[in-house]
Amino acid sequence: MKLRKHLLAAAMVMALGISAGAYAAEAPEENQWGLVYRGAITQNIKGQVNIHPVSYKLNGLKIAANVYTPANYNPALKYPAVVVAHPNGGVKEQVAGLYAQRLAELGYITIAADASYQGASEGEPRHKDVPFFRTEDIHGMADYIMQYPGVDPDRLGVLGICGGGGYTLNAAKSDKRFKAVATLSMFNSGEVRRNGYINSQLDSIQQRLHEASDARAAEITKGEYAISGNVDFDALTDEAIAKIPTDLYREGMMYYGRTHRHPNSTFAYTTGSLMELMTWDATDQIELIDQPLLLMAGSKADSLYMSEEAFAKATGTNDKELFLVDGATHIQTYYVPEYVDQFVAKLQSFFGKHLK
């Protein structure tokens, strides 16, 4: 019962994490873009990978994004490109930026954008988190990057991380512009919001649906927006974090609240969002994905079951692989050099084959 209470509390938080001893974030004064991962770009230097803050309209909202271009980028040439979708609660300056930068180092033009209603992107109410918009965010990144100078629209791939991985699977079912589809530590937001993490909330599904419906009613009648998953990182003690039983949430508190903290990153989401989230699933009609598919995860991740479920159901493609890095937990796939290097090498092989 004690474990279940911890899981129920943790399930209110969006999924992410890291372990103690991770690198400290880049000091803001050293990095004008607010990037918080090791080796982040701190200035644009001729002949090296560069970062370009951009914005564009999507469904009437101004979206904030970063585009990364390879060393010696020449807009007169043609490059393959990769869209990178960030985790739940995360922003483009964290792990999405890390992988986007690493792929740019391999010769890809990449884009990482803040989700609508989140980060530096527009949208009211803040923290709205529903599958339609998160999926549209991925289509929107594709819309923008396929028109970027130097991008070959016939060589477009996508990488989704954590919650962004689940939404990437959803986007790829219909978006055949993506010639290769990859996920890292895929998190099926609908399944977890419905069933709880590791199926810890199966006995309260109807109760939570009623609460979400009541929250939606208050939004309409009173203009009040209830928030779930909010965490005061300044008040959260290391002792309290250590008591969280699942690696994902325990390490996530350290990653997002301590070592890779960013002011735009928050676990919060509107309670009314659960009306859509709890009736959605990343694996519904996943057989529509006929593109080459790569699902990557850590062998020790307690979220691995979601990648395994998706892999088994993805029967529409004959070119699929579940790639595991031995010893990595979910959040360690975000930042630990020896793990990141292995995933990047796998992406180099995968995208190199299918976007050549």
Side-chain angles (χ1 to χ4, degrees):
M1 180 60 70
K2 190 178 232 181
L3 172 62
R4 168 150 307 212
K5 285 182 179 178
H6 281 307
L7 284 170
L8 290 174
M12 295 303 292
V13 181
M14 312 261 318
L16 336 195
I18 198 177
S19 63
Y23 339 107
E26 296 278 357
E29 64 271 19
E30 297 176 355
N31 192 325
Q32 62 176 302
W33 299 287
L35 304 169
V36 292
Y37 53 88
R38 183 178 180 180
I41 292 174
T42 57
Q43 56 182 321
N44 283 336
I45 299 174
K46 186 176 180 180
Q48 297 186 16
V49 169
N50 283 183
I51 182 173
H52 313 273
V54 301
S55 64
Y56 52 89
K57 286 288 187 176
L58 179 66
N59 296 316
L61 302 178
K62 184 178 180 181
I63 302 300
N66 287 328
V67 171
Y68 296 76
T69 50
N72 298 308
Y73 161 69
N74 181 350
L77 301 178
K78 288 296 184 182
Y79 298 82
V82 178
V83 164
V84 183
H86 67 67
N88 290 344
V91 289
K92 62 186 181 300
E93 289 84 2
Q94 296 165 324
V95 60
L98 169 60
Y99 277 86
Q101 181 176 326
R102 291 292 301 269
L103 287 169
E105 291 169 2
L106 298 176
Y108 297 88
I109 295 176
T110 59
I111 182 171
D114 284 337
S116 304
Y117 302 93
Q118 301 173 30
S121 292
E122 289 184 345
E124 296 290 341
R126 301 307 294 165
H127 316 308
K128 189 172 183 177
D129 187 35
V130 299
F132 172 80
F133 290 111
R134 285 299 303 269
T135 303
E136 271 289 288
D137 290 326
I138 296 169
H139 295 317
M141 281 191 280
D143 295 341
Y144 183 85
I145 205 65
M146 69 180 292
Q147 301 176 78
Y148 197 83
V151 167
D152 183 349
D154 293 324
R155 291 191 290 162
L156 181 61
V158 62
L159 168 64
I161 304 168
C162 186
Y167 295 122
T168 288
L169 295 179
N170 196 50
K173 296 169 190 176
S174 62
D175 201 333
K176 304 307 177 180
R177 292 175 296 180
F178 296 126
K179 301 304 189 291
V181 181
T183 66
L184 174 67
S185 300
M186 195 279 287
F187 184 88
N188 186 342
S189 301
E191 180 180 19
V192 173
R193 298 294 172 248
R194 179 173 57 256
N195 297 341
Y197 191 51
I198 318 179
N199 296 318
S200 61
Q201 293 178 282
L202 293 173
D203 57 355
S204 63
I205 292 175
Q206 292 299 330
Q207 173 192 333
R208 287 179 288 114
L209 282 170
H210 279 283
E211 291 170 354
S213 300
D214 291 342
R216 176 65 177 264
E219 292 174 8
I220 300 302
T221 60
K222 302 177 182 179
E224 298 174 354
Y225 291 86
I227 296 294
S228 293
N230 203 24
V231 176
D232 183 349
F233 288 117
D234 293 322
L236 191 63
T237 66
D238 290 346
E239 181 181 11
I241 293 174
K243 292 180 180 179
I244 299 173
T246 58
D247 291 340
L248 174 60
Y249 292 108
R250 183 177 62 255
E251 296 180 355
M253 293 294 169
M254 292 299 295
Y255 182 91
Y256 287 99
R258 302 282 197 274
T259 59
H260 293 69
R261 190 167 179 174
H262 191 281
N264 288 342
S265 176
T266 173
F267 292 142
Y269 58 95
T270 61
T271 304
S273 298
L274 288 170
M275 285 181 61
E276 285 79 22
L277 280 166
M278 290 178 66
T279 56
W280 179 83
D281 196 291
T283 64
D284 285 346
Q285 301 184 72
I286 194 173
E287 67 277 3
L288 292 175
I289 296 178
D290 63 351
Q291 304 98 309
L293 177 63
L294 172 65
L295 301 175
M296 305 185 298
S299 68
K300 290 185 64 178
D302 45 27
S303 62
L304 176 57
Y305 71 98
M306 287 180 270
S307 290
E308 292 174 333
E309 289 171 352
F311 183 80
K313 293 179 180 180
T315 57
T317 178
N318 294 321
D319 189 345
K320 65 176 183 176
E321 181 180 358
L322 178 60
F323 175 77
L324 304 181
V325 166
D326 188 49
T329 62
H330 182 112
I331 296 305
Q332 289 172 347
T333 69
Y334 290 13
Y335 76 96
V336 174
E338 64 179 284
Y339 300 146
V340 172
D341 287 347
Q342 292 178 68
F343 288 121
V344 170
K346 185 63 179 180
L347 289 169
Q348 182 177 22
S349 173
F350 177 70
F351 287 136
K353 175 182 178 182
H354 298 293
L355 303 181
K356 62 184 179 182

